[in-house]
Amino acid sequence: MAAASIHAEPLAAPGEPDKTALELLQAIDRHFLTLQKQVQNFHTALFRTAPFNLSQRDSLISSLNALLVGTQSELSKFPIPASSSWAAVPNGQAVKCGRHLQQFRQAFASSVCFFDVSVLHNLSQCVHVIDNYTSKKLPVRAFELAMNRLRALSGPSARMCLKPVEILLDVYVQLGLTRAREGLISIYTSSSAKSSQSPPVDLDSRLITSATAVLEALSQLKSPVNGLINFIFDIMSFFATELTMGRVEGAVADSLQELVQKMVTVANGKDWFTREQHENMCLWIKPDSQQGTNHFGADSIQDVVESISKELPEFLKQVSPLPLLVQQRIALTQRIQTLVQRQLRHAELRWFGSSASGFARPDSDLDLCLYIPGLPDADQIQVLKTVKKCLYSGRFANILGIFHARVPIVKFSDPSTGINGDICVNNILALQNTSLLSSYVQLDYRVLPLGLIVKTWASRRGISDSSKGTFSSYAYILMVIHFLQTRTPPVLPCLQTNLEGVAKVTLEGWDATFQSDLSLFENFGQSNKQSTAALLLEFFDFMCFEFDWKEDVISIRTAACEKKKELQRRDSFTSRPLFIAIQDPFVLTHNLARVVTEANMKKIFFEFRRARDLLLRTGRLKCLVDDSMDGLLSTPLHAHAPLHTQTQNTRQEEEQHETDEDVPSDSDSFEMA
């Protein structure tokens, strides 16, 4: 299609402001909002409905092309605005338009691999028309950034990636990529369908056909082309995720695993992929479970365990709060309580969360619950407003009331100590929950160091923030406890079963009863002789290979590997079919993984695999949090030994490596009386 002609610059009528630039910008904004909706409709039809066929795809592409051509035609009718007209455009209008262009680009990029060259060509024509009007005349960063990205998305390199004849010398490779792309359409739509019915019978064959085509394309590709390598990597990543998340089984899984390993072998022989992509690919190689030894040799697991054990005291010292910090928290709590009791005489501050359970790190927030017996729920907000005033009078900083959350709080920070904290009112369920976790800590000396290490690892790797679509640190602690409950023999009992004679505790309508008489479980875990280091290594192995992310549920309430279907029937527990699920020990309908996005679920799984593989390769705790050791992943770990049978170690052996730093002081589990 020839580039559209642009009219000559007109002269504004005498005494009248020239509004051409503003009207043009509004037209661009309006047209690209319409285009964004069309692209989203394309994406919805492509990924979220089934069945999907190529004729439907062709029809959607035709509609999108018609809209792009219409946009180009309409925008071309505008005369070129005068320079004074651009100067009069409000900055906010340009920023708004830039944001809408960026939103369109994001929607467009999510489906770009399934468009054809004509779509990108027509988009590039629209971009060209806008450039003719606005280039170097609208210096607004948001608009310039959006235009730069649209140019890259619709430029020659991107168009070449969707035209195999221009990037591949071998015709067979061209056909292979086409088959792979068409096969992926079917795979994605089948996997994403919301129906609980079984996938189509031909899904497995399409999956293998697509993987074979990608392997052939990768093997015969002569040189890299900008964009194509990332496309191939994304397809390979999809295949690996199908395997690691347990979505394919049996002979199909074996065939797909073999194809993925061949892809990784071919890719490792080329320097087209980034370091991060190579490291991810190494994690896709499933070790050989038929061999009894691993990359290090017959006795290597024990060597790794001993190496980790030697590092434990110093590592725990770094991630545990110093006694001085604990004393500062105690003093800060007493200071706030004095301020509050001037206005609320019968109020009492209590610790909950990590500071009370023992899992606090030096940078952990101080969670405080203001307990006022008999206070109606309707008065809690007013009480928090009073607390906020008290904090202002005490010269605290960063005071923020969050009153419309599920649990209203007031956040604050103490300038003198740097401690951040938050205060809620009468959150008795949280206090009971903290007491439960604290009880588990007291039952076995291995619980606290394991929890601290896993919590630190998750935080440093960026997968421990529920506000960003990953797990909370609390969820990781539940994983650790569940893991320790399900060992053979178990390290921890279940405190919520066999409650004969225990007074029932009901909070907010939920059964929050648990066995608080810990003398009944004295020496419970002694029959399990594994060291802390051995259990840490086995924890990551458990999450990678033993725990079924698709079917099982992390639940410490029963100390068993519960199934999603059973909990849905028994407790009305909600979960997603292909996602990990973590049940709250008291609020049984609450799934702590409900906020995790699919992209983050993949990232979390690969972080578990990274941690497991690096621990085996290095025997160093440092590798859990140090990016500089990722290069070691370039050497595949060829075999997977069943770690739970190799990491048996006596407590006496562990105690030779441990010092007093491993044992939490009394102040670590401080609770307000």
Side-chain angles (χ1 to χ4, degrees):
M1 179 183 299
S5 60
I6 306 296
H7 298 292
E9 181 174 325
L11 294 174
E16 294 183 7
D18 184 1
K19 298 181 180 179
T20 308
L22 179 58
E23 293 171 351
L24 172 62
L25 203 61
Q26 291 172 339
I28 294 171
D29 197 16
R30 183 172 61 255
H31 281 289
F32 273 83
L33 279 174
T34 303
L35 283 168
Q36 180 185 342
K37 291 179 182 178
Q38 183 69 18
V39 171
Q40 288 172 337
N41 290 338
F42 179 96
H43 188 84
T44 299
L46 187 66
F47 293 102
R48 299 179 186 174
T49 60
F52 180 85
N53 55 59
L54 292 180
S55 61
Q56 184 181 1
R57 169 177 172 268
D58 293 341
S59 174
L60 290 166
I61 287 177
S62 296
S63 299
L64 183 57
N65 273 330
L67 205 54
L68 285 166
V69 171
T71 297
Q72 176 194 347
S73 176
E74 289 296 319
L75 294 180
S76 299
K77 294 177 181 179
F78 278 82
I80 296 179
S83 300
S84 59
S85 180
W86 284 117
V89 171
N91 188 73
Q93 181 68 40
V95 170
K96 176 184 175 183
C97 184
R99 288 175 179 169
H100 287 162
L101 289 176
Q102 176 66 356
Q103 290 169 4
F104 164 78
R105 188 204 69 84
Q106 291 172 344
F108 192 93
S110 67
S111 301
V112 69
C113 286
F114 297 97
F115 295 143
D116 62 20
V117 179
S118 64
V119 176
L120 289 184
H121 176 78
N122 286 325
L123 175 60
S124 70
Q125 293 298 309
C126 290
V127 172
H128 177 66
V129 170
I130 298 173
D131 271 340
N132 283 339
Y133 285 120
T134 64
S135 180
K136 299 180 181 180
K137 299 175 184 177
L138 192 60
V140 176
R141 176 169 174 75
F143 187 85
E144 288 183 334
L145 181 62
M147 288 301 298
N148 286 337
R149 291 180 173 175
L150 278 178
R151 290 185 202 102
L153 183 62
S154 61
S157 296
R159 293 201 298 275
M160 287 176 66
C161 291
L162 295 186
K163 197 174 182 182
V165 71
E166 294 181 16
I167 57 174
L168 300 175
L169 301 178
D170 192 297
V171 176
Y172 182 79
V173 178
Q174 172 190 340
L175 297 175
L177 277 176
T178 303
R179 290 210 313 275
R181 189 173 300 162
E182 293 174 359
L184 277 175
I185 293 173
S186 301
I187 296 165
Y188 267 112
T189 53
S190 299
S191 298
S192 303
K194 296 181 179 179
S195 171
S196 59
Q197 299 177 355
S198 300
V201 293
D202 62 343
L203 174 61
D204 290 343
S205 62
R206 290 180 179 177
L207 186 66
I208 299 301
T209 299
S210 299
T212 303
V214 172
L215 175 61
E216 292 166 348
L218 185 62
S219 300
Q220 299 188 38
L221 190 62
K222 306 302 181 184
S223 60
V225 176
N226 185 28
L228 178 64
I229 297 304
N230 289 335
F231 175 49
I232 292 179
F233 176 81
D234 288 342
I235 297 177
M236 293 167 61
S237 178
F238 172 76
F239 294 143
T241 301
E242 294 295 289
L243 288 165
T244 54
M245 301 295 282
R247 298 174 186 172
V248 289
E249 300 173 342
V252 176
D254 293 339
S255 298
L256 186 59
Q257 182 68 63
E258 182 180 356
L259 288 167
V260 169
Q261 296 199 176
K262 289 180 179 178
M263 291 178 200
V264 173
T265 301
V266 173
N268 282 337
K270 303 178 184 292
D271 59 356
W272 303 339
F273 296 90
T274 66
R275 172 186 167 185
E276 183 180 0
Q277 287 172 334
H278 277 294
E279 288 165 358
N280 278 329
M281 284 188 279
C282 288
L283 297 179
W284 300 341
I285 300 177
K286 184 176 181 180
D288 184 2
S289 60
Q290 302 302 316
Q291 301 181 31
T293 62
N294 74 349
H295 182 65
F296 289 100
D299 299 325
S300 61
I301 293 294
Q302 189 61 38
D303 294 340
V304 170
V305 169
E306 290 178 359
S307 176
I308 295 173
S309 295
K310 291 176 182 178
E311 282 194 22
L312 266 175
E314 183 61 29
F315 190 89
L316 291 172
K317 184 177 180 181
Q318 294 175 8
V319 302
S320 303
L322 296 173
L324 175 61
L325 180 57
V326 176
Q327 293 301 321
Q328 287 177 337
R329 289 172 180 250
I330 295 172
L332 179 60
T333 303
Q334 293 170 342
R335 177 183 161 201
I336 296 174
Q337 179 155 302
T338 300
L339 289 171
V340 171
Q341 285 185 338
R342 292 173 184 172
Q343 303 294 326
L344 303 166
R345 182 174 302 177
H346 301 293
E348 179 184 1
L349 277 179
R350 299 183 180 182
W351 282 15
F352 72 97
S354 61
S355 296
S357 64
F359 291 109
R361 298 190 301 129
D363 58 349
S364 294
D365 288 352
L366 176 61
D367 298 314
L368 298 173
C369 176
L370 189 67
Y371 178 61
I372 305 177
L375 180 73
D377 291 346
D379 295 340
Q380 288 187 11
I381 301 299
Q382 188 58 46
V383 168
L384 283 175
K385 291 180 179 179
T386 301
V387 170
K388 190 176 177 181
K389 293 179 181 178
C390 293
L391 293 173
Y392 276 119
S393 69
R395 298 185 178 181
F396 286 87
N398 303 322
I399 300 170
L400 176 65
I402 304 176
F403 301 137
H404 299 292
R406 186 176 64 87
V407 178
I409 61 172
V410 172
K411 300 179 73 68
F412 67 91
S413 61
D414 178 33
S416 61
T417 62
I419 295 174
N420 297 317
D422 53 68
I423 302 175
C424 59
V425 177
N426 282 5
N427 193 356
I428 310 301
L429 197 58
L431 293 174
Q432 185 77 346
N433 193 295
T434 299
S435 182
L436 175 64
L437 298 190
S438 179
S439 297
Y440 279 118
V441 169
Q442 297 173 55
L443 282 172
D444 194 280
Y445 77 103
R446 293 168 284 188
V447 179
L448 184 59
L450 275 174
L452 281 173
I453 293 170
V454 171
K455 184 177 175 180
T456 301
W457 158 76
S459 176
R460 299 280 182 85
R461 299 304 299 173
I463 53 172
S464 181
D465 188 345
S466 57
S467 68
K468 296 180 180 178
T470 61
F471 293 128
S472 63
S473 58
Y474 169 57
Y476 286 103
I477 297 301
L478 294 185
M479 288 184 196
V480 170
I481 293 175
H482 172 84
F483 163 74
L484 294 175
Q485 287 177 329
T486 55
R487 296 306 85 209
T488 305
V491 176
L492 289 177
C494 178
L495 297 180
Q496 294 176 266
T497 56
N498 302 321
L499 298 175
E500 293 82 359
V502 180
K504 186 173 182 179
V505 177
T506 302
L507 299 173
E508 301 179 17
W510 296 101
D511 183 1
T513 313
F514 70 90
Q515 181 58 262
S516 58
D517 184 2
L518 303 185
S519 63
L520 298 175
F521 304 100
E522 188 174 358
N523 301 324
F524 177 89
Q526 281 191 351
S527 55
N528 186 303
K529 304 299 182 181
Q530 289 175 277
S531 65
T532 302
L535 287 170
L536 175 67
L537 190 59
E538 190 175 322
F539 168 76
F540 287 110
D541 195 70
F542 168 79
M543 294 304 300
C544 290
F545 297 110
E546 184 177 340
F547 182 78
D548 188 343
W549 291 48
K550 183 171 64 173
E551 299 292 342
D552 293 346
V553 178
I554 298 288
S555 176
I556 68 172
R557 185 177 180 84
T558 60
C561 285
E562 299 277 9
K563 298 296 181 183
K564 289 180 181 178
K565 291 182 179 179
E566 175 61 21
L567 290 189
Q568 288 169 355
R569 182 192 63 80
R570 189 181 71 208
D571 300 332
S572 299
F573 179 75
T574 56
S575 63
R576 290 172 285 181
L578 304 177
F579 283 61
I580 192 173
I582 305 175
Q583 186 181 40
D584 186 272
F586 295 139
V587 183
L588 304 185
T589 57
H590 183 199
N591 179 7
L592 274 72
R594 73 192 187 286
V595 300
V596 181
T597 64
E598 181 167 3
N600 282 336
M601 189 66 71
K602 296 176 184 177
K603 175 177 172 58
I604 290 168
F605 182 88
F606 285 122
E607 285 294 342
F608 272 111
R609 183 66 188 271
R610 171 193 176 275
R612 182 259 182 195
D613 286 3
L614 280 177
L615 281 175
L616 281 176
R617 285 179 170 85
T618 67
R620 301 285 305 280
L621 284 172
K622 178 184 177 182
C623 72
L624 295 180
V625 297
D626 190 349
D627 289 338
S628 66
M629 291 193 168
D630 283 352
L632 295 169
L633 291 173
S634 59
T635 304
L637 190 65
H638 298 294
H640 166 51
L643 297 184
H644 60 279
T645 64
Q646 298 193 39
T647 54
Q648 300 295 327
N649 197 11
T650 64
R651 294 191 178 202
Q652 291 76 15
E653 291 176 47
E654 182 184 46
E655 289 168 356
Q656 292 175 3
H657 301 298
E658 292 182 339
T659 64
D660 291 340
E661 282 87 0
D662 287 289
V663 184
S665 64
D666 293 338
S667 58
D668 284 335
S669 55
F670 167 81
E671 291 186 54
M672 295 293 290

